[in-house]
Amino acid sequence: AKRVLVLGGDGFCGWPTALFLSEIGHDVVVVDNLSRRKIDVELEADSLTPIQSMSERLAAWKGVSGGREIRFEYMDVAEEYDRLVALLLRERPDAIVHFAEQRAAPYSMKSAAHKRYTIDNNVNGSHNVLAAVVESGLDIHLVHLGTMGVYGYGTSGGEIPEGYLDVILPGGRESRILHPAYPGSVYHLTKTLDALIFQFYNKNDSLRITDLHQGIVWGTNTAQTLKDERLINRFDYDSDYGTVLNRFLMQAACGYPLTVYGTGGQTRAFIHIQDTAKCVALAIANPPATGEPVEIFNQVAETHRVRDLAKIVADMVPGCEVKNINNPRNEAAENELVVSNRKFRSLGYDPITLSTGLLDEVVNVAGKYLDRCDQSKILPSSFWNKKRLAECAGDRDAPLHSSEEEMMLEALSKGDAQIKAQLAQLLPK
């Protein structure tokens, strides 16, 4: 068992990971400034599932886990450097899991202020953690949650390796380099900057670092969050923070057409939330030795085209429609994506893949809390540039059903959005 600080341990990935690490015997301390909850207030878009206070969550976990205690430290690691150093010296952790970054690409593109916040929070936070580890003098293994988006989503022409490329430089010189970065948003840009910061501190100070390039997370519950209703994880469905598959599943549950951006030909990597926690645990258990390069894993289970995901979900739910809308993102309409995850597989990773049963579970979670859904938050509200904004301007006013159907639904529901959504489910596909 190790002492592990989970930075950002109140978030969508951080919370279930903290519970899983505690269950398998680690001594866990969650560090968070609750910024994700504050962004809920800003966006006026709460989690579909009701999230309890941190004290309530921790008390519930202690009650259902046989007395296992997770401690909590309220702290902004991007701003409170001296407190962070003091925390490391007091707790003397074996490992730090770093989730403490603004994680939504659309939010990072919302305005100049949101771009600047994302850079300030993410890059300063990562650098503060590394500088604090060096200043503490402790041998701490850093596990960072990165993203597959650092590689970009153009057609690569081959399998994306785990972090590094073996290349031949001019003159026939052999070298190993980081895979070229091709970020698609300010959020992804911060993750590519993180990767360079890690390379420097690994080279200069021999820090032991593992960078996990993770796919898009789907699912809500894990074996740990199911133990008590008060432990339930976030379920974001809004256009800024809802991941694509979770958004589709929620839309299906409430009778809202599945909103596919552009052609839906974007191929993306996916991983279930339970596997996020398991992969982090594997990384903690298999740290690089001092002096070894930054360890990079591709933390993915499978790849799918967005339109194929929409069809899978639409086929599950009778009457579910698919609606293509203009893409708010500046990205390729179609792309291929082949990803290596052999290193994780060699450590015993047996991924959870898409199955009807698991998809049904998420639809049922969405259905249970349907009264908390604000359908005005579904359509995109963040746009990559002015051209995308102009192209998408008509989507908010355009009916998602045919004109006759829309008129009928409006008349029968008398303008009540909840009743309108329920009636829409009865329409033929």
mmCIF file of all heavy atoms in Angstrom, residues 44-85:
data_model
loop_
_atom_site.group_PDB
_atom_site.id
_atom_site.type_symbol
_atom_site.label_atom_id
_atom_site.label_comp_id
_atom_site.label_asym_id
_atom_site.label_seq_id
_atom_site.Cartn_x
_atom_site.Cartn_y
_atom_site.Cartn_z
ATOM 1 N N GLU A 44 -24.585 27.426 -15.150
ATOM 2 C CA GLU A 44 -25.969 27.107 -14.783
ATOM 3 C C GLU A 44 -26.364 25.751 -15.351
ATOM 4 O O GLU A 44 -27.446 25.571 -15.915
ATOM 5 C CB GLU A 44 -26.915 28.211 -15.250
ATOM 6 C CG GLU A 44 -26.633 29.557 -14.608
ATOM 7 C CD GLU A 44 -27.600 30.642 -15.030
ATOM 8 O OE1 GLU A 44 -28.368 30.429 -15.991
ATOM 9 O OE2 GLU A 44 -27.604 31.717 -14.393
ATOM 10 N N ALA A 45 -25.454 24.797 -15.204
ATOM 11 C CA ALA A 45 -25.669 23.440 -15.722
ATOM 12 C C ALA A 45 -25.124 22.445 -14.707
ATOM 13 O O ALA A 45 -23.928 22.135 -14.721
ATOM 14 C CB ALA A 45 -24.977 23.260 -17.074
ATOM 15 N N ASP A 46 -25.987 21.972 -13.828
ATOM 16 C CA ASP A 46 -25.566 21.015 -12.810
ATOM 17 C C ASP A 46 -25.354 19.630 -13.408
ATOM 18 O O ASP A 46 -25.892 19.298 -14.469
ATOM 19 C CB ASP A 46 -26.623 20.911 -11.708
ATOM 20 C CG ASP A 46 -26.696 22.156 -10.852
ATOM 21 O OD1 ASP A 46 -25.675 22.859 -10.764
ATOM 22 O OD2 ASP A 46 -27.767 22.421 -10.285
ATOM 23 N N SER A 47 -24.600 18.800 -12.701
ATOM 24 C CA SER A 47 -24.530 17.381 -13.030
ATOM 25 C C SER A 47 -25.937 16.800 -13.039
ATOM 26 O O SER A 47 -26.777 17.153 -12.203
ATOM 27 C CB SER A 47 -23.680 16.658 -11.979
ATOM 28 O OG SER A 47 -23.865 15.258 -12.057
ATOM 29 N N LEU A 48 -26.208 15.911 -14.010
ATOM 30 C CA LEU A 48 -27.522 15.261 -14.050
ATOM 31 C C LEU A 48 -27.754 14.468 -12.766
ATOM 32 O O LEU A 48 -28.862 14.438 -12.224
ATOM 33 C CB LEU A 48 -27.609 14.340 -15.267
ATOM 34 C CG LEU A 48 -28.993 13.780 -15.596
ATOM 35 C CD1 LEU A 48 -29.915 14.889 -16.086
ATOM 36 C CD2 LEU A 48 -28.904 12.671 -16.630
ATOM 37 N N THR A 49 -26.710 13.834 -12.277
ATOM 38 C CA THR A 49 -26.789 13.115 -11.006
ATOM 39 C C THR A 49 -26.519 14.095 -9.867
ATOM 40 O O THR A 49 -25.672 14.984 -9.994
ATOM 41 C CB THR A 49 -25.737 11.989 -10.954
ATOM 42 O OG1 THR A 49 -24.468 12.527 -11.368
ATOM 43 C CG2 THR A 49 -26.116 10.843 -11.877
ATOM 44 N N PRO A 50 -27.219 13.964 -8.740
ATOM 45 C CA PRO A 50 -27.013 14.898 -7.626
ATOM 46 C C PRO A 50 -25.720 14.595 -6.879
ATOM 47 O O PRO A 50 -25.538 13.505 -6.350
ATOM 48 C CB PRO A 50 -28.238 14.649 -6.735
ATOM 49 C CG PRO A 50 -28.674 13.255 -7.054
ATOM 50 C CD PRO A 50 -28.309 12.998 -8.483
ATOM 51 N N ILE A 51 -24.808 15.562 -6.842
ATOM 52 C CA ILE A 51 -23.497 15.387 -6.207
ATOM 53 C C ILE A 51 -23.549 15.929 -4.791
ATOM 54 O O ILE A 51 -23.959 17.067 -4.566
ATOM 55 C CB ILE A 51 -22.405 16.123 -7.015
ATOM 56 C CG1 ILE A 51 -22.404 15.652 -8.467
ATOM 57 C CG2 ILE A 51 -21.036 15.905 -6.382
ATOM 58 C CD1 ILE A 51 -22.207 14.175 -8.642
ATOM 59 N N GLN A 52 -23.116 15.107 -3.853
ATOM 60 C CA GLN A 52 -23.112 15.506 -2.453
ATOM 61 C C GLN A 52 -21.871 16.340 -2.128
ATOM 62 O O GLN A 52 -20.892 16.361 -2.885
ATOM 63 C CB GLN A 52 -23.158 14.265 -1.549
ATOM 64 C CG GLN A 52 -24.362 13.373 -1.800
ATOM 65 C CD GLN A 52 -25.678 14.120 -1.679
ATOM 66 O OE1 GLN A 52 -25.898 14.843 -0.714
ATOM 67 N NE2 GLN A 52 -26.554 13.954 -2.663
ATOM 68 N N SER A 53 -21.895 17.015 -0.996
ATOM 69 C CA SER A 53 -20.726 17.773 -0.543
ATOM 70 C C SER A 53 -19.559 16.816 -0.310
ATOM 71 O O SER A 53 -19.745 15.608 -0.130
ATOM 72 C CB SER A 53 -21.048 18.508 0.758
ATOM 73 O OG SER A 53 -21.244 17.569 1.811
ATOM 74 N N MET A 54 -18.360 17.344 -0.299
ATOM 75 C CA MET A 54 -17.197 16.489 -0.089
ATOM 76 C C MET A 54 -17.242 15.803 1.274
ATOM 77 O O MET A 54 -16.924 14.610 1.386
ATOM 78 C CB MET A 54 -15.907 17.307 -0.244
ATOM 79 C CG MET A 54 -14.637 16.485 -0.076
ATOM 80 S SD MET A 54 -14.545 15.031 -1.153
ATOM 81 C CE MET A 54 -13.976 15.789 -2.667
ATOM 82 N N SER A 55 -17.660 16.508 2.322
ATOM 83 C CA SER A 55 -17.718 15.882 3.648
ATOM 84 C C SER A 55 -18.735 14.738 3.661
ATOM 85 O O SER A 55 -18.498 13.694 4.277
ATOM 86 C CB SER A 55 -18.054 16.915 4.721
ATOM 87 O OG SER A 55 -19.296 17.539 4.452
ATOM 88 N N GLU A 56 -19.854 14.928 2.958
ATOM 89 C CA GLU A 56 -20.871 13.868 2.881
ATOM 90 C C GLU A 56 -20.349 12.675 2.100
ATOM 91 O O GLU A 56 -20.547 11.520 2.491
ATOM 92 C CB GLU A 56 -22.139 14.424 2.215
ATOM 93 C CG GLU A 56 -23.330 13.475 2.196
ATOM 94 C CD GLU A 56 -24.000 13.317 3.554
ATOM 95 O OE1 GLU A 56 -23.733 14.140 4.452
ATOM 96 O OE2 GLU A 56 -24.783 12.367 3.707
ATOM 97 N N ARG A 57 -19.669 12.934 1.011
ATOM 98 C CA ARG A 57 -19.083 11.854 0.214
ATOM 99 C C ARG A 57 -18.086 11.038 1.038
ATOM 100 O O ARG A 57 -18.114 9.802 1.027
ATOM 101 C CB ARG A 57 -18.352 12.445 -1.004
ATOM 102 C CG ARG A 57 -19.230 12.819 -2.177
ATOM 103 C CD ARG A 57 -18.409 13.391 -3.316
ATOM 104 N NE ARG A 57 -19.029 13.107 -4.604
ATOM 105 C CZ ARG A 57 -18.484 13.385 -5.789
ATOM 106 N NH1 ARG A 57 -17.297 13.969 -5.845
ATOM 107 N NH2 ARG A 57 -19.105 13.074 -6.912
ATOM 108 N N LEU A 58 -17.206 11.722 1.734
ATOM 109 C CA LEU A 58 -16.156 11.022 2.491
ATOM 110 C C LEU A 58 -16.736 10.234 3.662
ATOM 111 O O LEU A 58 -16.266 9.135 3.970
ATOM 112 C CB LEU A 58 -15.112 12.025 2.978
ATOM 113 C CG LEU A 58 -14.364 12.789 1.874
ATOM 114 C CD1 LEU A 58 -13.346 13.749 2.472
ATOM 115 C CD2 LEU A 58 -13.693 11.832 0.897
ATOM 116 N N ALA A 59 -17.754 10.791 4.295
ATOM 117 C CA ALA A 59 -18.416 10.063 5.389
ATOM 118 C C ALA A 59 -19.108 8.814 4.865
ATOM 119 O O ALA A 59 -19.071 7.749 5.501
ATOM 120 C CB ALA A 59 -19.426 10.981 6.087
ATOM 121 N N ALA A 60 -19.747 8.935 3.699
ATOM 122 C CA ALA A 60 -20.413 7.780 3.100
ATOM 123 C C ALA A 60 -19.401 6.694 2.762
ATOM 124 O O ALA A 60 -19.645 5.505 3.002
ATOM 125 C CB ALA A 60 -21.180 8.210 1.851
ATOM 126 N N TRP A 61 -18.254 7.082 2.215
ATOM 127 C CA TRP A 61 -17.237 6.093 1.864
ATOM 128 C C TRP A 61 -16.704 5.383 3.111
ATOM 129 O O TRP A 61 -16.533 4.156 3.110
ATOM 130 C CB TRP A 61 -16.080 6.748 1.108
ATOM 131 C CG TRP A 61 -14.980 5.775 0.790
ATOM 132 C CD1 TRP A 61 -13.704 5.798 1.263
ATOM 133 C CD2 TRP A 61 -15.074 4.623 -0.055
ATOM 134 N NE1 TRP A 61 -12.995 4.729 0.776
ATOM 135 C CE2 TRP A 61 -13.816 3.989 -0.046
ATOM 136 C CE3 TRP A 61 -16.095 4.064 -0.809
ATOM 137 C CZ2 TRP A 61 -13.544 2.830 -0.773
ATOM 138 C CZ3 TRP A 61 -15.841 2.901 -1.542
ATOM 139 C CH2 TRP A 61 -14.581 2.297 -1.517
ATOM 140 N N LYS A 62 -16.474 6.136 4.153
ATOM 141 C CA LYS A 62 -15.996 5.517 5.391
ATOM 142 C C LYS A 62 -17.010 4.504 5.905
ATOM 143 O O LYS A 62 -16.647 3.424 6.397
ATOM 144 C CB LYS A 62 -15.730 6.591 6.450
ATOM 145 C CG LYS A 62 -15.064 6.069 7.723
ATOM 146 C CD LYS A 62 -14.687 7.216 8.654
ATOM 147 C CE LYS A 62 -13.970 6.696 9.896
ATOM 148 N NZ LYS A 62 -13.565 7.811 10.791
ATOM 149 N N GLY A 63 -18.304 4.823 5.754
ATOM 150 C CA GLY A 63 -19.347 3.936 6.246
ATOM 151 C C GLY A 63 -19.483 2.642 5.470
ATOM 152 O O GLY A 63 -19.752 1.589 6.048
ATOM 153 N N VAL A 64 -19.289 2.700 4.148
ATOM 154 C CA VAL A 64 -19.512 1.499 3.325
ATOM 155 C C VAL A 64 -18.235 0.707 3.064
ATOM 156 O O VAL A 64 -18.300 -0.408 2.535
ATOM 157 C CB VAL A 64 -20.162 1.870 1.973
ATOM 158 C CG1 VAL A 64 -21.499 2.558 2.187
ATOM 159 C CG2 VAL A 64 -19.233 2.707 1.109
ATOM 160 N N SER A 65 -17.086 1.271 3.425
ATOM 161 C CA SER A 65 -15.811 0.625 3.091
ATOM 162 C C SER A 65 -15.164 -0.051 4.294
ATOM 163 O O SER A 65 -13.995 -0.439 4.223
ATOM 164 C CB SER A 65 -14.844 1.664 2.514
ATOM 165 O OG SER A 65 -14.513 2.641 3.495
ATOM 166 N N GLY A 66 -15.906 -0.171 5.390
ATOM 167 C CA GLY A 66 -15.323 -0.792 6.571
ATOM 168 C C GLY A 66 -14.383 0.122 7.314
ATOM 169 O O GLY A 66 -13.424 -0.352 7.954
ATOM 170 N N GLY A 67 -14.621 1.425 7.225
ATOM 171 C CA GLY A 67 -13.820 2.381 7.992
ATOM 172 C C GLY A 67 -12.641 2.970 7.261
ATOM 173 O O GLY A 67 -11.843 3.704 7.862
ATOM 174 N N ARG A 68 -12.519 2.708 5.961
ATOM 175 C CA ARG A 68 -11.413 3.316 5.206
ATOM 176 C C ARG A 68 -11.633 4.828 5.143
ATOM 177 O O ARG A 68 -12.710 5.295 4.822
ATOM 178 C CB ARG A 68 -11.340 2.747 3.792
ATOM 179 C CG ARG A 68 -10.945 1.286 3.742
ATOM 180 C CD ARG A 68 -10.720 0.847 2.290
ATOM 181 N NE ARG A 68 -10.453 -0.574 2.201
ATOM 182 C CZ ARG A 68 -9.270 -1.124 2.397
ATOM 183 N NH1 ARG A 68 -8.240 -0.351 2.710
ATOM 184 N NH2 ARG A 68 -9.107 -2.427 2.300
ATOM 185 N N GLU A 69 -10.596 5.567 5.407
ATOM 186 C CA GLU A 69 -10.725 7.020 5.466
ATOM 187 C C GLU A 69 -9.966 7.680 4.327
ATOM 188 O O GLU A 69 -8.783 7.401 4.116
ATOM 189 C CB GLU A 69 -10.212 7.545 6.808
ATOM 190 C CG GLU A 69 -10.516 9.017 7.024
ATOM 191 C CD GLU A 69 -10.206 9.465 8.448
ATOM 192 O OE1 GLU A 69 -9.829 8.627 9.273
ATOM 193 O OE2 GLU A 69 -10.339 10.677 8.706
ATOM 194 N N ILE A 70 -10.650 8.527 3.577
ATOM 195 C CA ILE A 70 -10.006 9.395 2.593
ATOM 196 C C ILE A 70 -10.016 10.802 3.174
ATOM 197 O O ILE A 70 -11.062 11.309 3.571
ATOM 198 C CB ILE A 70 -10.759 9.374 1.242
ATOM 199 C CG1 ILE A 70 -10.690 7.987 0.610
ATOM 200 C CG2 ILE A 70 -10.173 10.425 0.291
ATOM 201 C CD1 ILE A 70 -11.481 7.862 -0.690
ATOM 202 N N ARG A 71 -8.845 11.405 3.255
ATOM 203 C CA ARG A 71 -8.770 12.755 3.800
ATOM 204 C C ARG A 71 -8.860 13.783 2.668
ATOM 205 O O ARG A 71 -8.589 13.460 1.505
ATOM 206 C CB ARG A 71 -7.473 12.920 4.595
ATOM 207 C CG ARG A 71 -7.515 12.150 5.926
ATOM 208 C CD ARG A 71 -6.174 12.130 6.638
ATOM 209 N NE ARG A 71 -5.200 11.311 5.943
ATOM 210 C CZ ARG A 71 -3.963 11.702 5.635
ATOM 211 N NH1 ARG A 71 -3.563 12.933 5.954
ATOM 212 N NH2 ARG A 71 -3.135 10.901 5.011
ATOM 213 N N PHE A 72 -9.269 15.002 3.002
ATOM 214 C CA PHE A 72 -9.492 16.034 1.992
ATOM 215 C C PHE A 72 -8.745 17.300 2.348
ATOM 216 O O PHE A 72 -8.773 17.758 3.494
ATOM 217 C CB PHE A 72 -10.987 16.333 1.866
ATOM 218 C CG PHE A 72 -11.295 17.494 0.950
ATOM 219 C CD1 PHE A 72 -10.871 17.497 -0.371
ATOM 220 C CD2 PHE A 72 -12.011 18.591 1.410
ATOM 221 C CE1 PHE A 72 -11.148 18.567 -1.215
ATOM 222 C CE2 PHE A 72 -12.302 19.668 0.578
ATOM 223 C CZ PHE A 72 -11.865 19.655 -0.745
ATOM 224 N N GLU A 73 -8.074 17.874 1.364
ATOM 225 C CA GLU A 73 -7.366 19.144 1.514
ATOM 226 C C GLU A 73 -7.895 20.112 0.457
ATOM 227 O O GLU A 73 -7.771 19.865 -0.751
ATOM 228 C CB GLU A 73 -5.857 18.936 1.311
ATOM 229 C CG GLU A 73 -5.009 20.123 1.649
ATOM 230 C CD GLU A 73 -4.732 20.288 3.144
ATOM 231 O OE1 GLU A 73 -4.846 19.289 3.887
ATOM 232 O OE2 GLU A 73 -4.376 21.419 3.552
ATOM 233 N N TYR A 74 -8.527 21.190 0.919
ATOM 234 C CA TYR A 74 -9.045 22.203 -0.004
ATOM 235 C C TYR A 74 -7.895 23.114 -0.416
ATOM 236 O O TYR A 74 -7.343 23.852 0.401
ATOM 237 C CB TYR A 74 -10.159 23.014 0.678
ATOM 238 C CG TYR A 74 -10.761 24.105 -0.183
ATOM 239 C CD1 TYR A 74 -11.662 23.797 -1.191
ATOM 240 C CD2 TYR A 74 -10.412 25.433 0.008
ATOM 241 C CE1 TYR A 74 -12.208 24.787 -1.983
ATOM 242 C CE2 TYR A 74 -10.948 26.438 -0.774
ATOM 243 C CZ TYR A 74 -11.850 26.107 -1.778
ATOM 244 O OH TYR A 74 -12.378 27.098 -2.564
ATOM 245 N N MET A 75 -7.514 23.050 -1.681
ATOM 246 C CA MET A 75 -6.328 23.786 -2.125
ATOM 247 C C MET A 75 -6.362 23.973 -3.625
ATOM 248 O O MET A 75 -6.807 23.091 -4.368
ATOM 249 C CB MET A 75 -5.054 23.007 -1.742
ATOM 250 C CG MET A 75 -3.747 23.695 -2.140
ATOM 251 S SD MET A 75 -2.306 22.638 -1.879
ATOM 252 C CE MET A 75 -2.377 22.371 -0.107
ATOM 253 N N ASP A 76 -5.856 25.127 -4.092
ATOM 254 C CA ASP A 76 -5.674 25.392 -5.515
ATOM 255 C C ASP A 76 -4.199 25.216 -5.830
ATOM 256 O O ASP A 76 -3.372 26.083 -5.503
ATOM 257 C CB ASP A 76 -6.137 26.819 -5.838
ATOM 258 C CG ASP A 76 -6.110 27.137 -7.319
ATOM 259 O OD1 ASP A 76 -5.381 26.451 -8.070
ATOM 260 O OD2 ASP A 76 -6.809 28.080 -7.743
ATOM 261 N N VAL A 77 -3.829 24.101 -6.456
ATOM 262 C CA VAL A 77 -2.412 23.816 -6.685
ATOM 263 C C VAL A 77 -1.794 24.776 -7.695
ATOM 264 O O VAL A 77 -0.570 24.947 -7.727
ATOM 265 C CB VAL A 77 -2.188 22.346 -7.135
ATOM 266 C CG1 VAL A 77 -2.641 21.385 -6.059
ATOM 267 C CG2 VAL A 77 -2.863 22.054 -8.461
ATOM 268 N N ALA A 78 -2.622 25.419 -8.522
ATOM 269 C CA ALA A 78 -2.087 26.381 -9.491
ATOM 270 C C ALA A 78 -1.753 27.723 -8.855
ATOM 271 O O ALA A 78 -0.994 28.517 -9.437
ATOM 272 C CB ALA A 78 -3.095 26.588 -10.633
ATOM 273 N N GLU A 79 -2.298 27.986 -7.661
ATOM 274 C CA GLU A 79 -2.127 29.291 -7.026
ATOM 275 C C GLU A 79 -1.419 29.231 -5.675
ATOM 276 O O GLU A 79 -0.778 30.198 -5.266
ATOM 277 C CB GLU A 79 -3.506 29.957 -6.830
ATOM 278 C CG GLU A 79 -4.249 30.254 -8.130
ATOM 279 C CD GLU A 79 -3.614 31.381 -8.921
ATOM 280 O OE1 GLU A 79 -2.840 32.157 -8.336
ATOM 281 O OE2 GLU A 79 -3.895 31.483 -10.132
ATOM 282 N N GLU A 80 -1.531 28.119 -4.960
ATOM 283 C CA GLU A 80 -1.052 28.050 -3.572
ATOM 284 C C GLU A 80 0.190 27.161 -3.481
ATOM 285 O O GLU A 80 0.164 26.081 -2.879
ATOM 286 C CB GLU A 80 -2.172 27.541 -2.662
ATOM 287 C CG GLU A 80 -3.393 28.462 -2.657
ATOM 288 C CD GLU A 80 -4.501 27.948 -1.763
ATOM 289 O OE1 GLU A 80 -5.321 27.123 -2.236
ATOM 290 O OE2 GLU A 80 -4.560 28.359 -0.587
ATOM 291 N N TYR A 81 1.275 27.641 -4.084
ATOM 292 C CA TYR A 81 2.488 26.833 -4.174
ATOM 293 C C TYR A 81 3.069 26.494 -2.807
ATOM 294 O O TYR A 81 3.431 25.341 -2.535
ATOM 295 C CB TYR A 81 3.533 27.557 -5.027
ATOM 296 C CG TYR A 81 4.841 26.827 -5.099
ATOM 297 C CD1 TYR A 81 4.994 25.713 -5.915
ATOM 298 C CD2 TYR A 81 5.938 27.227 -4.314
ATOM 299 C CE1 TYR A 81 6.189 25.019 -5.966
ATOM 300 C CE2 TYR A 81 7.134 26.542 -4.363
ATOM 301 C CZ TYR A 81 7.249 25.433 -5.180
ATOM 302 O OH TYR A 81 8.424 24.739 -5.221
ATOM 303 N N ASP A 82 3.175 27.476 -1.931
ATOM 304 C CA ASP A 82 3.792 27.229 -0.624
ATOM 305 C C ASP A 82 3.000 26.198 0.176
ATOM 306 O O ASP A 82 3.590 25.341 0.861
ATOM 307 C CB ASP A 82 3.906 28.537 0.171
ATOM 308 C CG ASP A 82 4.929 29.491 -0.438
ATOM 309 O OD1 ASP A 82 5.797 29.014 -1.193
ATOM 310 O OD2 ASP A 82 4.852 30.704 -0.167
ATOM 311 N N ARG A 83 1.678 26.273 0.112
ATOM 312 C CA ARG A 83 0.848 25.270 0.804
ATOM 313 C C ARG A 83 1.063 23.885 0.193
ATOM 314 O O ARG A 83 1.041 22.872 0.906
ATOM 315 C CB ARG A 83 -0.638 25.636 0.708
ATOM 316 C CG ARG A 83 -1.072 26.755 1.645
ATOM 317 C CD ARG A 83 -2.588 26.866 1.652
ATOM 318 N NE ARG A 83 -3.207 25.662 2.194
ATOM 319 C CZ ARG A 83 -4.435 25.238 1.889
ATOM 320 N NH1 ARG A 83 -5.179 25.932 1.022
ATOM 321 N NH2 ARG A 83 -4.919 24.147 2.426
ATOM 322 N N LEU A 84 1.258 23.835 -1.123
ATOM 323 C CA LEU A 84 1.490 22.549 -1.791
ATOM 324 C C LEU A 84 2.798 21.921 -1.320
ATOM 325 O O LEU A 84 2.850 20.721 -0.998
ATOM 326 C CB LEU A 84 1.503 22.760 -3.304
ATOM 327 C CG LEU A 84 1.791 21.520 -4.166
ATOM 328 C CD1 LEU A 84 0.770 20.421 -3.925
ATOM 329 C CD2 LEU A 84 1.833 21.907 -5.641
ATOM 330 N N VAL A 85 3.846 22.718 -1.244
ATOM 331 C CA VAL A 85 5.138 22.204 -0.749
ATOM 332 C C VAL A 85 4.979 21.700 0.686
ATOM 333 O O VAL A 85 5.462 20.608 1.041
ATOM 334 C CB VAL A 85 6.228 23.286 -0.819
ATOM 335 C CG1 VAL A 85 7.521 22.789 -0.160
ATOM 336 C CG2 VAL A 85 6.500 23.684 -2.269
#
